[in-house]
Amino acid sequence: MTFPDGQPTGSFAGPFDADVEDPKGSDASAQRGRPAGGEGGAAPAAAAGAGPDLPPGPLDQAAVLDLYLAAGALRRGHFALSSGRHSDTYLQSALVLQWPRLAEALGRALAEPFAGQVDVVAAAAVGGLLIGHEIARELGVRMVFAERAGGVMRLRRSFALRAGERALLAEDVVTTGGSAGEVADLVSVAGAAPVGLAAIVDRRPSPAGGPLSAVALARVAAAAWDPADCPLCQAGDAPESPGSRRLDGHPP
Ligand SMILES: [Zn+2]
């Protein structure tokens, strides 16, 4: 699969710009992958800082990947991830979810298969907060989140689950399924029942893995290696660390 250039226009001001800097310096706003589809004038709105256009059709794989590309939230190259691993793919859902209308639409699409089957949405902070809340809004249920403290995932803030509640887990991107599994364990310990996992993007090499059935709007093939095994490093390339840019705009 090839990905068209789809970087943001550069008209955004503020810290997000540092993370979406296009090393090729392209002016790809005119080449975005998916046309606005009959809504003339939408592209100029994006150029003015309103964010990527929502596609007119369903939020299927192609539409979601176009949104991510347009927001600079999906890039190909050589990246040092915050986990310490190196990858040929960088995904940063916050660059899509910073636009509430996009978050709302993605949440609605993810909620649809679970309508009437969920009593509460549970997610791990920080990645699952925005999309989990939007899914819960659409389902008309509450949303609780777990936080990692001292290496242990916990429900804090007096959040409580009741025995028998049906809990939908939510994540922005499923990388290994590990965080969702930890939240599922918390849910189970509380006596509630995990009923599934909803994610915008599934980047696991084997999506079928894991104890929970997962619904994802898009799947992305992404390689990841321990730095010592990274073929891109071995080829002499230096990785970018897009997730660790300092917010004051100065390089670390
Ligand atoms: Zn590397």
Side-chain angles (χ1 to χ4, degrees):
M1 178 181 286
T2 58
F3 291 87
D5 284 338
Q7 298 300 324
T9 63
S11 61
F12 308 88
F16 280 110
D17 238 356
D19 272 357
V20 299
E21 186 179 11
D22 181 354
K24 297 190 295 294
S26 79
D27 56 347
S29 61
Q31 322 166 10
R32 292 223 324 262
R34 173 167 289 233
E39 296 186 14
D53 306 317
L54 259 181
L59 281 170
D60 56 12
Q61 163 105 5
V64 170
L65 293 185
D66 279 351
L67 268 185
Y68 269 65
L69 288 165
L74 170 58
R75 298 171 57 199
R76 299 292 190 175
H78 179 197
F79 304 100
L81 305 180
S82 56
S83 65
R85 287 164 69 78
H86 286 194
S87 179
D88 61 356
T89 302
Y90 175 67
L91 276 161
Q92 179 50 269
S93 297
L95 292 174
V96 173
L97 299 174
Q98 68 178 313
W99 308 104
R101 64 191 166 77
L102 302 184
E104 179 182 34
L106 291 164
R108 185 180 305 128
L110 280 170
E112 191 178 356
F114 298 99
Q117 305 169 38
V118 173
D119 301 308
V120 60
V121 174
V126 174
L129 294 183
L130 293 172
I131 192 62
H133 209 263
E134 291 295 343
I135 294 169
R137 183 204 306 276
E138 182 67 16
L139 291 173
V141 302
R142 74 193 194 282
M143 183 262 184
V144 300
F145 56 87
E147 300 159 84
R148 195 179 302 284
V152 179
M153 193 79 83
R154 289 194 179 91
L155 280 177
R156 304 171 70 194
R157 304 175 193 277
S158 300
F159 283 141
L161 296 166
R162 292 186 290 275
E165 281 193 302
R166 301 165 299 175
L168 175 63
L169 307 180
E171 281 203 279
D172 55 352
V173 176
V174 183
T175 302
T176 65
S179 294
E182 289 178 82
V183 178
D185 289 344
L186 288 175
V187 165
S188 298
V189 165
V195 296
L197 167 62
I200 308 170
V201 177
D202 190 341
R203 64 174 289 174
R204 292 176 294 178
S206 302
L212 285 168
S213 63
V215 169
L217 298 180
R219 299 193 188 283
V220 169
W225 311 274
D226 288 328
D229 301 325
C230 175
L232 302 173
C233 283
Q234 287 165 11
D237 190 57
E240 271 188 77
S241 300
S244 61
R245 302 281 185 97
R246 284 167 49 178
L247 290 179
D248 60 9
H250 299 294

